[in-house]
Amino acid sequence: MKLSKLIEGLDILKIEGDVDKEISRIVYDSRRAVPGSLFVCIDGFKTDGHKYIQSAMDNGAVAFLVQKDVPVLENMTVIKVPDTRYALAHVSAAFFEHPSEHFTLIGVTGTKGKTTVTYMIKSILEQAGQTVGLIGTVANIIGSERIPAQRTTPESLDLQEMFSNMKEKGADAVVMEVSSQGLKLNRVGAITFDVGVFTNLSEDHIGGNEHPDMEDYLKSKIKLFSMSKRGLINIDSEYAGRVLAESRCPCMTFGIENKADVYAEDIVTHADSVEFTVKTPWFGGRVKVSVPGRFTVYNALAAIGVAGMLGMGFEHAVNGLKNIHIPGRAEIVPTPGKPYTVMIDYAHTPDSLRNILSTVKEFVPNRLISVFGCGGDRDRGKRPQMGKISGEIADFTIITSDNPRTEDPMAIIRDIEEGIKQTDGQYIIIEDRTEAIRYAMSIAKEGDIIVLAGKGHETYQIFKDKTIHYDEREIVKEILESME
């Protein structure tokens, strides 16, 4: 595609060189440049793409998008823009000929529930006979093809290529998790969503290279509703008023506590499911969801609301939710022959840990054993909070490691311990996560439920000097085999 066509409509500060060049590929990594490439210089957290212009040229790049002044050499085209992250999104969408305009695009943002809501929407739309793509934390899926996800919201170039692939495979709809970083860093720039969903907001992703404070975090989330044709907002969130006031699209609401367009009543929770009566402007009736917990009602209401907004029938919502399975969310791991239960859940914030432990506590026949840690290089403030929550709810807590990254695992554990010491909860510290799980399984009695919180769908553990394969389903299976 001609460079002039790619930059059409882009806010440009300065052009030096010929824009009539044919562009063969767009890259933001100089090592991936080929003859005829457009190299977009991203000033990132780890390195600055402007330093790699010569490397990209050596590999054949002929044009450069920059946001800093750089030397211009012969036969080189340099286009200066205010923000190369947004420019990358703009030219990527143009290069792949705006694929997302060919299907219904639903974006889900919020601290908790994004993955579950996207899976629920996907299941409902598939019940209605649609081919649905999914982009998110666990995996990127189209039809039977499943690609492991590197990050919740892919970089804009990769996202547009994914959209193009989904369009080619006949997607009627694509539902995606839209992270606050994805919004803040313009990974979803130059895209219009048919429906944007706000699930909730609680403290997470604060500090480091993420958000300096809650205000920045909230404003990043709200950005989705300046990019959507319609919005669906959780009215029970304490931030709902801000989201509704600052949205630039018409919005509907869902909730349980407050008056909403889509709401639930007569909620009955079970050990393995939850059921309720849903009322909406389009349809209503009894719904059963195969994931336990009150928080599941909120996620289901979001999915049902989207289905209604898109004109789906009530029967599709009912059938899409009754046997839903979300990887790493209240997921039961097989423990054949054992009298106890092991559950994996992604809970890694104070709210999500409270949710899963409270739900399980309500139905556990005997003891609730909580096994969790906190990630390194992330918000330290939540560590004692999570220790306190586990100490208050669980019958026994095992504090362990969870992606310590560059921090000392024991320093993280001590932060958690400060919280649990404020309770009467019994606990033990076992730094090695596998040994912590082994200990939980060795002391478990009939009717106990062990909740392994924090990793969920993840299949890795991140240390200072390495990342190892780590799938808790496999760990549990190996421990069971070693016990025989």
Side-chain angles (χ1 to χ4, degrees):
M1 188 177 286
K2 292 274 190 201
L3 179 58
S4 56
K5 181 82 173 162
L6 290 177
I7 61 172
E8 223 170 68
L10 189 59
D11 184 10
I12 294 170
L13 301 175
K14 184 168 62 175
I15 296 177
E16 296 181 74
D18 177 20
V19 295
D20 203 38
K21 292 176 176 174
E22 199 72 39
I23 298 300
S24 61
R25 177 189 281 187
I26 299 169
V27 294
Y28 56 88
D29 181 338
S30 62
R31 295 166 297 187
R32 299 190 65 192
V34 297
S37 292
L38 167 63
F39 177 53
V40 184
C41 302
I42 303 292
D43 189 359
F45 297 119
K46 294 181 179 174
T47 189
D48 183 355
H50 294 80
K51 294 178 180 176
Y52 299 92
I53 286 175
Q54 187 60 54
S55 166
M57 283 186 73
D58 292 344
N59 288 332
V62 295
F64 303 84
L65 270 171
V66 301
Q67 64 185 42
K68 298 177 180 178
D69 290 321
V70 298
V72 180
L73 305 176
E74 195 179 348
N75 298 324
M76 181 181 176
T77 300
V78 176
I79 300 160
K80 189 179 180 187
V81 294
D83 179 1
T84 49
R85 285 190 183 275
Y86 180 80
L88 176 62
H90 180 100
V91 297
S92 299
F95 188 77
F96 289 104
E97 299 180 326
H98 302 279
S100 63
E101 293 177 2
H102 295 267
F103 44 71
T104 302
L105 182 61
I106 302 123
V108 181
T109 199
T111 305
K112 304 185 302 292
K114 292 189 297 295
T115 299
T116 299
V117 172
T118 55
Y119 270 79
M120 286 177 168
I121 294 170
K122 178 176 182 286
S123 182
I124 292 170
L125 296 185
E126 286 175 341
Q127 284 293 326
Q130 296 201 359
T131 299
V132 186
L134 183 140
I135 297 171
T137 306
V138 178
N140 302 312
I141 303 167
I142 177 65
S144 58
E145 189 181 354
R146 185 185 178 91
I147 305 156
Q150 301 301 313
R151 51 164 63 118
T152 300
T153 306
E155 187 54 81
S156 56
L157 174 64
D158 308 312
L159 179 62
Q160 291 293 342
E161 187 172 11
M162 214 174 283
F163 282 162
S164 181
N165 185 26
M166 289 177 171
K167 174 196 157 193
E168 292 306 312
K169 294 196 171 170
D172 299 300
V174 172
V175 56
M176 66 178 289
E177 296 180 48
V178 187
S179 68
S180 54
Q181 287 290 88
L183 287 155
K184 183 177 180 178
L185 301 177
N186 281 313
R187 292 181 192 145
V188 289
I191 291 169
T192 299
F193 292 87
D194 291 283
V195 182
V197 180
F198 173 76
T199 60
N200 49 62
L201 194 79
S202 57
E203 193 162 324
D204 197 18
H205 303 292
I206 308 298
N209 292 329
E210 298 190 281
H211 300 279
D213 50 39
M214 282 296 287
E215 179 64 17
D216 185 75
Y217 185 34
L218 173 61
K219 280 199 168 294
S220 297
K221 296 288 189 192
I222 292 173
K223 196 173 171 185
L224 177 62
F225 303 96
S226 63
M227 307 168 62
S228 300
K229 294 177 185 174
R230 292 177 289 173
L232 181 64
I233 314 298
N234 176 4
I235 196 67
D236 293 346
S237 165
E238 63 177 297
Y239 295 95
R242 281 282 304 276
V243 180
L244 288 165
E246 296 177 33
S247 290
R248 295 185 193 168
C249 64
C251 292
M252 299 184 80
T253 58
F254 68 94
I256 300 171
E257 307 295 338
N258 296 293
K259 192 172 186 299
D261 298 301
V262 179
Y263 64 98
E265 51 187 29
D266 302 327
I267 299 168
V268 179
T269 55
H270 307 286
D272 60 351
S273 61
V274 64
E275 54 183 303
F276 56 92
T277 298
V278 66
K279 299 207 170 170
T280 79
W282 315 283
F283 47 62
R286 201 74 181 154
V287 176
K288 185 172 183 178
V289 190
S290 58
V291 180
R294 188 177 175 85
F295 57 93
T296 294
V297 179
Y298 281 104
N299 294 333
L301 287 175
I304 291 166
V306 169
M309 291 168 90
L310 296 178
M312 302 295 120
F314 181 56
E315 70 280 7
H316 301 132
V318 171
N319 293 330
L321 295 171
K322 68 181 177 186
N323 294 313
I324 189 79
H325 168 75
I326 299 101
R329 272 66 179 175
E331 180 181 347
I332 304 298
V333 183
T335 50
K338 297 296 178 184
Y340 55 80
T341 301
V342 176
M343 177 186 286
I344 291 176
D345 194 86
Y346 188 49
H348 62 286
T349 66
D351 278 358
S352 54
L353 185 65
R354 185 188 304 280
N355 280 340
I356 192 64
L357 294 183
S358 299
T359 297
V360 174
K361 182 69 173 174
E362 196 176 339
F363 297 102
V364 63
N366 193 18
R367 296 180 304 163
L368 167 57
I369 301 171
S370 164
V371 181
F372 81 99
C374 289
D377 304 335
R378 296 293 187 269
D379 179 17
R380 282 187 65 183
K382 69 182 183 182
R383 296 171 187 172
Q385 293 176 40
M386 291 173 71
K388 189 167 185 280
I389 287 163
S390 190
E392 288 171 344
I393 301 171
D395 296 291
F396 188 73
T397 299
I398 304 170
I399 307 173
T400 187
S401 259
D402 182 351
N403 294 335
R405 298 183 176 88
T406 66
E407 286 193 66
D408 172 11
M410 281 309 297
I412 298 171
I413 286 168
R414 296 297 175 205
D415 286 343
I416 298 169
E417 190 184 20
E418 286 306 308
I420 204 165
K421 279 179 176 175
Q422 298 171 35
T423 74
D424 296 327
Q426 290 187 297
Y427 72 96
I428 189 172
I429 291 170
I430 302 177
E431 180 187 334
D432 183 280
R433 194 171 179 99
T434 300
E435 291 311 309
I437 297 169
R438 188 188 307 279
Y439 182 76
M441 292 169 68
S442 72
I443 64 165
K445 299 171 182 169
E446 185 169 349
D448 287 355
I449 298 179
I450 302 167
V451 174
L452 308 180
K455 299 211 70 66
H457 62 277
E458 289 181 357
T459 55
Y460 53 83
Q461 182 85 307
I462 308 170
F463 297 95
K464 183 185 293 186
D465 55 347
K466 61 186 175 183
T467 298
I468 63 168
H469 176 75
Y470 198 87
D471 185 330
E472 288 187 328
R473 298 155 198 77
E474 295 172 9
I475 300 296
V476 170
K477 185 169 182 280
E478 286 164 11
I479 292 169
L480 285 172
E481 288 169 354
S482 71
M483 286 176 162
E484 288 173 2

